[in-house]
Amino acid sequence: MARRPNSRNGNNGRPLNSQASLNGYIKSICDIMRRSNCAGALQYVPELTWMLFLRILDDREEQEAEGAKALGVGFTPSLVEPYRWRDWASPDGAKRQELQAAPMGAYMAFVNDDLLPHLRSLGDRAGATHRQLVISQVFATVERTRIDTERNLLDILDKIDALSGRSVDDTHMFPLSQVYEGLLLKMGEKNNDGGQFFTPREVIRAMVRAVNPQIGQTVYDPCCGTGGFLAQAYEYMQPQAATASEIEQLKTETFYGREKENLVYPIALANTVLHGIDGPHIWHGNTLTGVAFHAALYTDAPALFDVVLTNPPFGGKENKDAQANFAYKTGATQLLFLQHVIDALADGGTCGIVMDEGALFRTNETAFVQTKRKLLDECDLYCIVSLPAGVFINAGAASKTNLLFFRKGQSTERIWYYDLSDVKVRKRTPFTLAHFDDFLERLALPPDDPERESERSWWVSIDEVRARTYDLKAVNPNRKDEGDTRTPEELIAIIEAKQAELSEALAALRRSLGG
């Protein structure tokens, strides 16, 4: 990574040449933030997001300017002096030195009263570029820095500035975007109230591999949260890009998403940009009602998509405004999103979606049966993977979950099930991508290959599903009964999931009785 000389190294000159050393370095930044009015991850992750975003944006535009100069072509940066990171944040920046020489308070005043308003206003300017629109939305809700003192702010900026090619060993390290994922995981941990926005990356990577998106296809997530599916799809597809036009298409015309939450929307933009997506087309608003808060980045988005990868919220209750847009009325958020996904897929398009087990087996409410019938009639539901009960525990979700994979345009004749529910997920034995190895190998085989079937996998015909009134729950006929070996934590997770399902069923009953 090309970078101007840095007068200070936040790691005392030592290179960051392991994942542990880089994680520890990021933790040291978060420690300063925690003592600076950002007590929890929901406070310090958004704050660190915009700082890392500007740091990496500056590096990227510096490289792009050098490349353009070498080719003898023009380059128009998104940010100009004194609003570039190198001007106001870097220790040797001219604007920073000027402000530090000024009376006390000048530096904080510049950040809060000049820099941040300037960044927010970029999207309002005539002829704003797509990148400037992205910048303005990343800062749309950043009114002022949360850091309490100038000294703490400067300490944080110095540490972030030191994250350069000189201090991070690229030959041994994950990209900086991987470190950012670790920050998002902190935000999504139990008791941080951010789990609803975070899908475990092991699950995302397995889903991306199973769907296998290709260059030239569009990828869509209607409830993208922090942008994990879009970012991981980009990383999977990036090695496929062999020409300049394919690289440009991948970076600017491939990834589309929607997100409702004000806190999470700018994080999704920053996360996708940090991973290398130059043109994230993310719509800010309520997907189910169609009400937009900001749609400028979504201009010219296609009506239908080739690939959908998503983890819709489940357990929520949608009002009549949302239900009015769908053929099958229900307050169950996940069912409305499933209908939306089916309608958003192009013929031949493929979807990988996380779905709670309650939605699969419930047959006591008309909308559940109707939505599953729509899925099986309009799509080939070719695979269901049953996940262990504890996969989403660290993200604060107790519900038992499944992965559904389907293609639009041909009805379902039979479903291939794969059972991972017996995998023991504990703190010291987390669920990893390796747990999907056998599934992915068997999925790649032709459907009629006898190796598709195993102790973990089996086929179910559409006639059997209809006879069960569209109960899609995975019940492994090949599993050997080894007694109940579930841990107390797993039993608690199952009980909590059942309680949530019971509460939802009781609420539906009360509504039907007019109560």
Side-chain angles (χ1 to χ4, degrees):
M1 179 187 296
R3 183 69 183 173
R4 60 200 166 276
N6 194 333
S7 60
R8 296 169 68 173
N9 189 315
N11 199 40
N12 296 321
R14 296 190 300 273
L16 300 169
N17 55 12
S18 71
Q19 188 65 50
S21 65
L22 188 51
N23 287 344
Y25 187 79
I26 295 295
K27 180 181 180 298
S28 71
I29 300 175
C30 296
D31 287 342
I32 301 174
M33 290 188 156
R34 274 190 286 266
R35 70 171 188 244
S36 309
N37 198 35
C38 297
L42 281 177
Q43 288 78 46
Y44 67 71
V45 170
E47 189 77 4
L48 188 49
T49 290
W50 70 258
M51 295 181 186
L52 276 174
F53 176 82
L54 290 179
R55 172 67 177 82
I56 293 174
L57 175 67
D58 193 37
D59 265 340
R60 186 168 299 169
E61 295 215 328
E62 194 169 35
Q63 291 174 2
E64 290 170 351
E66 291 172 358
K69 183 178 180 180
L71 295 172
V73 297
F75 173 75
T76 303
S78 301
L79 299 178
V80 297
E81 188 178 0
Y83 303 110
R84 303 169 303 181
W85 177 275
R86 76 194 78 164
D87 302 319
W88 67 271
S90 182
D92 54 358
K95 186 64 177 180
R96 172 166 165 177
Q97 293 180 358
E98 171 196 325
L99 291 168
Q100 286 190 265
M104 180 67 67
Y107 195 86
M108 295 291 276
F110 168 77
V111 171
N112 290 324
D113 302 331
D114 191 353
L115 173 70
L116 295 177
H118 173 79
L119 299 174
R120 290 195 301 269
S121 71
L122 286 176
D124 299 327
R125 301 185 175 197
T129 64
H130 190 91
R131 185 176 285 179
Q132 287 174 326
L133 290 172
V134 170
I135 295 169
S136 70
Q137 287 304 297
V138 169
F139 288 88
T141 59
V142 184
E143 294 293 335
R144 57 194 301 109
T145 178
R146 294 182 64 96
I147 306 304
D148 56 356
T149 68
E150 182 176 302
R151 183 66 266 159
N152 284 335
L153 178 60
L154 292 173
D155 286 346
I156 292 166
L157 296 176
D158 288 349
K159 281 183 165 290
I160 294 173
D161 189 75
L163 288 170
S164 67
R166 207 163 55 81
S167 61
V168 178
D169 185 348
D170 290 335
T171 61
H172 297 93
M173 293 300 304
F174 289 110
L176 193 55
S177 58
Q178 301 268 343
V179 179
Y180 186 66
E181 285 185 9
L183 289 173
L184 298 184
L185 177 59
K186 287 293 182 185
M187 192 179 77
E189 283 179 347
K190 202 168 185 178
N191 301 323
N192 270 325
D193 297 325
Q196 60 183 308
F197 310 119
F198 187 88
T199 304
R201 291 310 185 247
E202 296 80 2
V203 174
I204 291 179
R205 292 182 179 112
M207 292 175 67
V208 171
R209 291 189 186 186
V211 170
N212 188 28
Q214 298 294 302
I215 293 288
Q217 293 183 316
T218 51
V219 180
Y220 174 58
D221 184 349
C223 40
C224 66
T226 58
F229 279 104
L230 302 179
Q232 292 305 317
Y234 171 81
E235 290 199 352
Y236 179 83
M237 298 168 73
Q238 192 271 335
Q240 303 171 18
T243 66
S245 62
E246 287 179 342
I247 293 171
E248 179 68 14
Q249 181 181 32
L250 182 66
K251 286 177 171 289
T252 62
E253 301 174 7
T254 299
F255 300 99
Y256 300 84
R258 297 174 185 255
E259 176 52 44
K260 179 175 70 172
E261 297 296 330
N262 292 336
L263 170 69
V264 181
Y265 171 66
I267 293 177
L269 288 172
N271 189 27
T272 50
V273 170
L274 289 177
H275 277 79
I277 301 173
D278 287 342
H281 301 277
I282 302 181
W283 184 88
H284 186 198
N286 188 322
T287 302
L288 300 179
T289 63
V291 176
F293 309 138
H294 182 82
L297 297 178
Y298 206 72
T299 303
D300 299 327
L304 300 173
F305 300 91
D306 302 308
V307 172
V308 175
L309 290 159
T310 191
N311 175 16
F314 37 84
K317 294 296 180 185
E318 295 299 329
N319 59 32
K320 291 183 179 179
D321 289 340
Q323 297 181 43
N325 294 324
F326 297 92
Y328 307 123
K329 316 297 183 188
T330 175
T333 306
Q334 70 272 42
L335 287 192
L336 298 180
F337 269 108
L338 182 55
Q339 292 182 59
H340 171 83
V341 166
I342 296 169
D343 294 339
L345 269 178
D347 275 351
T350 306
C351 173
I353 186 172
V354 182
M355 191 61 55
D356 64 298
E357 192 150 282
L360 266 61
F361 68 71
R362 281 184 61 178
T363 60
N364 61 340
E365 187 175 331
T366 302
F368 280 80
V369 176
Q370 290 173 325
T371 302
K372 287 182 282 188
R373 183 188 294 126
K374 173 183 174 70
L375 171 62
L376 296 173
D377 287 349
E378 297 182 20
C379 303
D380 177 14
L381 177 60
Y382 61 87
C383 178
I384 295 178
V385 179
S386 179
L387 295 179
V391 170
F392 285 80
I393 285 293
N394 284 339
S399 297
K400 174 78 168 61
T401 52
N402 296 262
L403 307 180
L404 276 60
F405 299 95
F406 53 87
R407 293 188 189 91
K408 178 81 172 285
Q410 184 174 341
S411 61
T412 304
E413 295 183 1
R414 60 176 182 164
I415 304 169
W416 183 61
Y417 283 83
Y418 194 93
D419 185 15
L420 286 169
S421 60
D422 62 339
V423 176
K424 306 306 177 188
V425 180
R426 302 184 178 95
K427 197 167 188 178
R428 295 187 179 180
T429 55
F431 197 61
T432 67
L433 186 59
H435 286 109
F436 289 100
D437 284 350
D438 183 69
F439 157 70
L440 291 170
E441 288 175 10
R442 294 181 190 275
L443 180 67
L445 297 172
D448 57 352
D449 193 312
E451 290 297 317
R452 271 290 194 105
E453 297 195 49
S454 68
E455 289 186 0
R456 291 187 179 276
S457 58
W458 67 98
W459 291 95
V460 174
S461 71
I462 187 62
D463 292 335
E464 183 178 341
V465 172
R466 288 173 179 149
R468 299 194 314 227
T469 322
Y470 295 93
D471 181 349
L472 295 173
K473 181 179 178 181
V475 181
N476 189 346
N478 305 319
R479 182 183 295 174
K480 297 176 181 178
D481 186 6
E482 299 176 350
D484 193 342
T485 60
R486 293 172 294 184
T487 65
E489 291 80 7
E490 291 169 330
L491 291 171
I492 290 171
I494 293 170
I495 291 170
E496 289 177 342
K498 295 299 182 184
Q499 286 177 333
E501 292 163 6
L502 178 60
S503 297
E504 187 175 338
L506 288 172
L509 179 60
R510 290 192 186 97
R511 289 194 298 272
S512 67
L513 295 174

